[in-house]
């Protein structure tokens, strides 16, 4: 049987990995251990070096001489086989991949519990290599809630658990729990490494990798009294989409969130830091503090231009609203809020010599003095941000879960790009442009 796999012939899955790897094959107590030598032969035939670590129970099913012969190394079992060599650490460090096949229900439980009572469990605890586990057991054991939970735990921690096949088990039993055939196990184990290496390479290549991006989003609320406020219709959707886009391009992202609903914030990956704020002054403090370490700040928040001069400590009663000099009416005296964006340019919070790239948003409607673009161009020159994304807002445009169209201008008011589509699509386009501009500086 083994002869079928002998010889130096490279398998298709072996070819996918350019470098030969050092692989620890773990074996635990299951009748399926009779398949392990074939797995080892396949790995070696694909050019990889293999060391076997077996549990004591495994050796009830398969002899150490067999495993040693096919791997070319003595078989290790206990943590104290050679205490001077601190093998439990050394084997884990040696490995580029740990593949455990078969993994018994007991072994899954011990790994899930973080135990280190033999060399195999200790190796799993000490290795930084990917760990692939191929369980084999009776159907009842596989389906038992304890095993189900243990498998969930391992997967949550990033171990790859290959789902067992369904088919003949020991004696006359039949069902799920059968160790998959050696070629499938080898294929999945090697594909795991390839996949993880590709992911790592992709992440290292991302254009905003290592950059810190701050996005302000949502709309500020300026209290009139503890119940009422002056606010705006911004949902925060566009800003959240920008935070997601920046994260996707590899940035470390902080979202300063002004009154954004939980259903919108739920779109953010867990890695995005959220700083909740209410008023424009809170937003200013949070944005300036986060921008002190940022490479990019995107002001997508709709900041109230004015706030009430006075905020009542208790709810203003209706009969007090008007006052004798304005029966039926009410006056709220307003004061202008600071322009946070302008402040970021005039007084940059980052003081270590690195200039933060500043992006503003301008939601515009046309009026008798000019169309959306004319207002946008004037604003781009006035504000001086590196980029200003101008979008038209109105009844069907701009606010909430609706498509968006942006014209992106530079600090001179010159058109740099246009982007239209969903809020996610325009966010991707804008963040890619930011990454390009940043790289070109
Ligand atoms: O002047 P306008 O509100 O249209 O400017 C829009 C841009 O300026 C946005 O990027 C917004 O976040 C920012 N802004 C600000 N502080 C204000 C008003 C707006 O930073 N007080």
């Amino acid at each position: 049987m083994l002869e079928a796999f002998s010889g130096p012939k490279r398998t298709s899955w072996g070819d996918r990995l350019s470098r030969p790897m050092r692989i620890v094959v773990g074996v635990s107590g299951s009748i399926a251990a009779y398949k392990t030598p074939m797995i080892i032969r396949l790995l070696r035939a694909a050019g990889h070096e293999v060391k076997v670590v077996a549990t004591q129970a495994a050796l009830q099913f398969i002899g150490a001489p067999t495993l040693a012969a096919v791997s070319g190394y003595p078989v290790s079992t206990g943590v104290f086989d050679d205490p001077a060599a601190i093998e439990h650490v050394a084997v884990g460090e040696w490995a580029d991949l740990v593949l455990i096949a078969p993994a018994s229900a007991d072994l899954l439980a011990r790994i899930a519990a973080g135990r280190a009572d033999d060399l195999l469990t200790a190796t799993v605890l000490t290795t930084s290599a990917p760990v692939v586990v191929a369980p084999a057991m009776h159907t009842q054991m596989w389906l038992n809630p304890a095993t189900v939970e243990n498998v969930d735990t391992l997967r949550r921690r990033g171990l790859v658990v290959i789902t067992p096949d369904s088919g003949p088990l020991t004696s006359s039993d039949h069902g799920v729990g059968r160790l998959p055939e050696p070629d499938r196990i080898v294929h999945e184990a090697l594909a795991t490494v390839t996949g993880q290496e590709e992911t790592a390479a992709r992440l290292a290549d991302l254009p905003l990798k290592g950059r810190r991006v701050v996005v302000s989003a949502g709309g500020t609320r300026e209290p009139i009294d503890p119940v009422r406020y002056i606010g705006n219709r911004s949902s925060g959707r566009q800003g959240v989409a920008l935070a997601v886009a920046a994260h996707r391009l590899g940035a470390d992202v902080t979202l300063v969130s002004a009154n954004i609903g939980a259903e919108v914030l739920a779109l953010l990956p867990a890695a995005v830091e959220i700083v909740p704020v209410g008023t424009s002054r809170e937003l200013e403090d949070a944005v300036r503090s986060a921008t002190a370490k940022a490479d990019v700040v995107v002001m997508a928040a709709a900041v109230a231009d004015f706030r009430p001069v006075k905020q009542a400590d208790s709810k203003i009663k209706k009969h007090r609203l008007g006052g004798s000099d304005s029966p039926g009416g009410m006056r709220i005296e307003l004061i202008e809020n600071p322009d946070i964006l302008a402040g970021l340019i005039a007084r940059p919070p980052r003081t270590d010599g690195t200039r933060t790239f500043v992006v503003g948003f301008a939601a515009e409607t046309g009026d008798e003095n000019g169309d959306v673009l004319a207002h946008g161009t004037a604003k781009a020159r006035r504000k001086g941000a590196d980029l200003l994304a101008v979008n038209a807002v109105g009844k069907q445009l701009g606010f909430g879960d609706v498509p968006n169209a942006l014209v992106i201008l530079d600090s001179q008011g010159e058109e740099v790009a246009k982007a239209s589509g969903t809020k996610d699509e325009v966010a991707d386009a804008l963040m890619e442009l930011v990454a390009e501009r940043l790289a070109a500086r």
Side-chain angles (χ1 to χ4, degrees):
M1 186 82 176
L2 284 183
E3 274 65 35
F5 303 109
S6 64
K9 152 174 88 83
R10 283 206 148 236
T11 56
S12 57
W13 53 85
D15 287 336
R16 292 177 57 200
L17 284 165
S18 49
R19 84 195 146 87
M21 284 193 298
R22 300 192 291 204
I23 301 176
V24 167
V25 171
V27 199
S28 63
S30 154
I31 185 68
Y34 78 90
K35 293 183 183 173
T36 308
M38 293 176 234
I39 294 171
I40 296 167
R41 290 301 292 266
L42 284 171
L43 290 171
R44 293 196 66 197
H48 305 296
E49 202 179 342
V50 175
K51 278 188 184 176
V52 177
V53 176
T55 64
Q56 285 296 343
L59 300 179
Q60 305 287 325
F61 294 91
I62 179 102
T66 309
L67 296 168
V70 288
S71 66
Y73 280 104
V75 175
S76 307
T77 53
V79 177
F80 299 110
D81 285 353
D82 179 3
I86 41 170
E87 248 196 323
H88 64 292
V89 180
V91 180
E93 282 178 352
W94 175 86
D96 296 315
L97 167 69
V98 176
L99 166 62
I100 304 175
S104 63
D106 179 67
L107 184 73
L108 296 180
R110 288 193 294 127
I111 298 176
R115 302 206 45 160
D117 45 3
D118 58 16
L119 186 58
L120 184 51
T121 47
T123 300
V124 171
L125 276 189
T126 52
T127 193
S128 54
V131 178
V132 179
V133 178
M137 64 197 72
H138 267 86
T139 308
Q140 296 91 319
M141 294 172 96
W142 175 251
L143 297 179
N144 185 284
T147 307
V148 171
E149 244 174 63
N150 290 332
V151 168
D152 280 353
T153 302
L154 300 193
R155 285 185 170 146
R156 229 184 10 258
R157 290 184 195 149
L159 282 73
V160 174
V161 180
I162 299 175
T163 303
D165 278 350
S166 194
L169 302 168
T170 331
S171 63
S172 57
D173 290 351
H174 201 278
V176 66
R178 189 181 150 81
L179 189 71
E181 290 313 308
D183 58 350
R184 189 183 135 212
I185 291 177
V186 169
H187 177 82
E188 293 207 16
L190 297 184
T192 298
V193 179
T194 318
Q196 292 190 0
E197 286 181 351
E198 281 169 5
T199 306
R202 230 182 10 256
L203 289 179
D205 258 7
L206 291 173
L208 289 178
K209 181 83 200 152
R211 306 284 200 174
R212 284 175 180 274
V213 175
V214 177
V215 180
S216 73
T220 59
R221 292 179 183 173
E222 310 298 333
I224 298 167
D225 67 16
V227 181
R228 306 175 178 98
Y229 59 81
I230 297 173
N232 59 68
R233 293 176 54 202
S234 175
S235 64
R237 262 301 275 116
Q238 185 62 73
V240 165
L242 286 159
V244 172
H247 170 77
R248 205 180 294 139
L249 295 180
D252 295 320
V253 184
T254 300
L255 180 85
V256 178
S257 159
N259 309 297
I260 301 179
E263 72 292 352
V264 177
L265 289 179
L267 302 169
L268 288 168
V272 172
E273 183 195 14
I274 303 173
V275 182
V277 294
T279 65
S280 60
R281 281 183 296 178
E282 288 166 7
L283 186 121
E284 180 176 29
D285 288 347
V287 165
R288 290 193 66 86
S289 141
T291 303
K293 283 190 253 143
D295 300 290
V296 180
V297 56
V298 183
M299 284 293 295
V303 183
D305 291 317
F306 295 91
R307 66 177 186 275
V309 174
K310 276 192 245 135
Q311 180 192 342
D313 292 333
S314 54
K315 185 180 172 191
I316 302 171
K317 297 291 174 288
K318 194 174 169 187
H319 67 267
R320 276 174 41 212
L321 283 174
S324 54
D325 55 345
S326 57
M330 178 189 182
R331 276 176 209 279
I332 302 173
E333 199 185 337
L334 301 175
I335 179 172
E336 200 170 343
N337 276 326
D339 189 317
I340 303 165
L341 183 70
L344 290 172
I345 295 158
R347 292 172 290 112
R350 186 161 183 167
T351 53
D352 63 359
T354 304
R355 198 173 71 75
T356 304
F357 192 90
V358 181
V359 183
F361 260 77
E364 295 290 349
T365 60
D367 60 20
E368 62 285 359
N369 295 320
D371 62 8
V372 169
L373 197 55
H375 284 295
T377 306
K379 190 166 287 180
R381 292 189 188 130
R382 205 166 57 239
K383 297 238 177 194
D386 293 280
L387 294 174
L388 184 76
V390 182
N391 70 328
V393 293
K395 280 205 174 98
Q396 302 299 323
L397 282 169
F399 289 115
D401 200 9
V402 296
N404 222 352
L406 301 181
V407 180
I408 302 163
L409 308 176
D410 65 14
S411 55
Q412 310 302 312
E414 296 297 328
E415 186 178 316
V416 175
K418 275 190 172 129
S420 61
T422 63
K423 289 188 172 177
D424 292 331
E425 286 164 347
V426 298
D428 284 342
L430 180 58
M431 288 316 304
E432 273 163 29
L433 179 64
V434 168
E436 256 171 47
R437 293 262 155 154
L438 212 52
R441 288 210 305 204

